[in-house]
Amino acid sequence: MKSAVIVFPGSNCDRDISVALKKFQIKNEMVWHDESDLPKSDLVVLPGGFSYGDYLRTGCIASKSKIINDVIKHAEKGGLVLGICNGFQILIETGLLPGALLRNKKLRFISKNVYLKVNNVNNKFCLNYKGKKIIKLPIAHNEGNFFAQEKILKELEDSDLIAFKYCDVNGNTNEASNPNGSSKNIAGILNVNKNILGMMPHPERHIDPVLSGDDGSFMFESLLKSF
Amino acid sequence: MKISAIVTLKKEVLDPQGKVVNQTLKNMGYKNINNVRQGKYFEIEIDETNEKNAKNTMEEICKKLLANSIIEDFTINLK
């Protein structure tokens, strides 16, 4: 399996994801945002960070960068796209995923481990979470408050496109277990064809049971399995 | 000519920064202030003599880049 990680000025999780991909024997290539052609890849990752210093709106300037046209083409052909944190914000700004990511409700940057409910395991990213309903991953963001109009939220629910929801240790999704004010406790969503996943939590930071935890590993194993 | 745009969050979108400013103004003694919405202001210099054309370009720019139509509204002003 081949992947490409897009690097923007201000990306800071690009090397973490590259280490994770390599650990799972995915052949990765780093691609600078100013390139116009993607190398041949099965998976494109938009990493976390603060692309272009979060100017204008988070992810906004990155969504107009040169390489994005090719990322959109790749996505439209059914290629896998994973956007983590700032990557999720970029996916939303490109229109590949619906909604918007607002500032956290309490205006604080949140950096902590959170419990997540895996809502949909029938996609290439989450296959291996089957039977593992509640997982723990880190979040580290200031703009992760998912917002969408009622109509869109209903579509996401009805079509089972919510991949992850913030919850507590028992799986309760409510206001108390919602760190940032996201509608319906949404932490990650899929597109209709389920080849694009955008999520605020960082699976690439939890791939080692000794150092952190390995709930992120399941995602990379899923990708390999589905390939 | 110079043309400007003000981008604000839509009424139904929570504006926590505006809320905090509102609360702070109240704490400072401005009891008669009821609501604050925070926004962004853009001033653009454009090579154009026709006002209508300038407005049309600005509208396009707002839709494509300056505002996110899901959460924000914009108003355009000629200076």
Side-chain angles (χ1 to χ4, degrees):
Chain A
M1 188 175 198
K2 281 185 183 164
S3 64
V5 170
I6 314 295
V7 186
F8 301 95
S11 294
N12 66 4
C13 302
D14 44 332
R15 290 179 38 167
D16 302 42
I17 183 73
S18 142
V19 168
L21 292 163
K22 273 176 201 151
K23 183 178 175 185
F24 293 92
Q25 271 87 50
I26 297 170
K27 232 182 139 222
N28 184 50
E29 207 172 310
M30 308 301 267
V31 181
W32 185 235
H33 70 110
D34 210 24
E35 307 266 335
S36 41
D37 300 307
L38 268 180
K40 210 171 172 288
S41 27
D42 309 294
L43 166 72
V44 173
V45 184
L46 303 176
F50 301 83
S51 58
Y52 299 90
D54 284 347
Y55 290 178
L56 204 54
R57 290 181 305 277
T58 51
C60 168
I61 309 288
S63 77
K64 312 287 180 206
S65 62
K66 229 178 187 179
I67 192 71
I68 287 295
N69 295 324
D70 232 28
V71 175
I72 295 172
K73 271 189 219 152
H74 166 86
E76 281 170 350
K77 276 188 284 182
L80 295 170
V81 181
L82 171 62
I84 302 166
C85 199
N86 189 225
F88 184 16
Q89 294 162 341
I90 296 167
L91 283 176
I92 278 191
E93 282 287 342
T94 57
L96 285 171
L97 290 175
L101 286 157
L102 306 177
R103 273 192 79 177
N104 296 342
K105 200 175 169 189
K106 290 183 181 160
L107 298 175
R108 288 217 182 109
F109 187 96
I110 310 169
S111 176
K112 63 174 186 183
N113 292 344
V114 293
Y115 290 105
L116 299 165
K117 194 174 197 169
V118 187
N119 223 41
N120 181 337
V121 291
N122 298 315
N123 63 78
K124 291 180 175 173
F125 304 91
C126 302
L127 279 177
N128 277 23
Y129 286 116
K130 209 174 176 178
K132 205 172 175 348
K133 281 266 157 80
I134 298 160
I135 61 167
K136 202 177 190 182
L137 288 180
I139 53 169
H141 61 247
N142 199 35
E143 283 88 3
N145 177 355
F146 184 80
F147 173 90
Q149 288 145 329
E150 276 305 318
K151 202 185 101 203
I152 306 271
L153 289 174
K154 199 174 172 302
E155 272 171 32
L156 288 172
E157 276 198 321
D158 292 350
S159 318
D160 205 11
L161 300 177
I162 302 173
F164 301 101
K165 280 187 176 191
Y166 300 108
C167 66
D168 62 20
V169 67
N170 298 312
N172 298 309
T173 54
N174 49 32
E175 218 183 314
S177 57
N178 188 340
N180 54 21
S182 287
S183 308
K184 311 243 177 224
N185 281 42
I186 287 173
I189 56 170
L190 295 150
N191 67 329
V192 177
N193 293 330
K194 298 192 177 78
N195 61 313
I196 307 173
L197 170 67
M199 61 192 293
M200 289 314 294
H202 289 268
E204 81 280 17
R205 293 190 191 174
H206 269 205
I207 52 159
D208 190 318
V210 179
L211 287 176
S212 47
D214 65 346
D215 280 351
S217 304
F218 296 89
M219 182 168 290
F220 300 101
E221 285 160 3
S222 302
L223 286 164
L224 276 175
K225 193 189 209 173
S226 64
F227 178 64
Chain B
M1 85 172 62
K2 267 189 185 172
I3 189 163
S4 65
I6 294 174
V7 178
T8 47
L9 284 171
K10 284 185 186 209
K11 276 200 192 97
E12 63 270 25
V13 179
L14 178 76
D15 175 12
Q17 291 189 90
K19 263 190 159 173
V20 170
V21 174
N22 186 20
Q23 191 53 49
T24 306
L25 288 171
K26 278 186 180 152
N27 296 348
M28 288 165 74
Y30 295 98
K31 303 290 181 209
N32 53 350
I33 284 170
N34 295 318
N35 194 22
V36 177
R37 303 286 287 174
Q38 186 170 322
K40 294 173 194 159
Y41 173 77
F42 299 92
E43 200 175 78
I44 290 181
E45 280 176 41
I46 178 168
D47 275 338
E48 184 62 72
T49 44
N50 182 312
E51 288 192 353
K52 203 171 162 238
N53 289 348
K55 267 191 168 172
N56 285 344
T57 306
M58 191 62 165
E59 196 172 324
E60 200 179 307
I61 292 170
C62 281
K63 283 184 181 160
K64 284 190 179 167
L65 183 71
L66 303 183
N68 175 350
S69 61
I70 299 166
I71 48 168
E72 292 168 324
D73 289 325
F74 60 86
T75 47
I76 296 170
N77 294 302
L78 283 162
K79 283 194 62 168

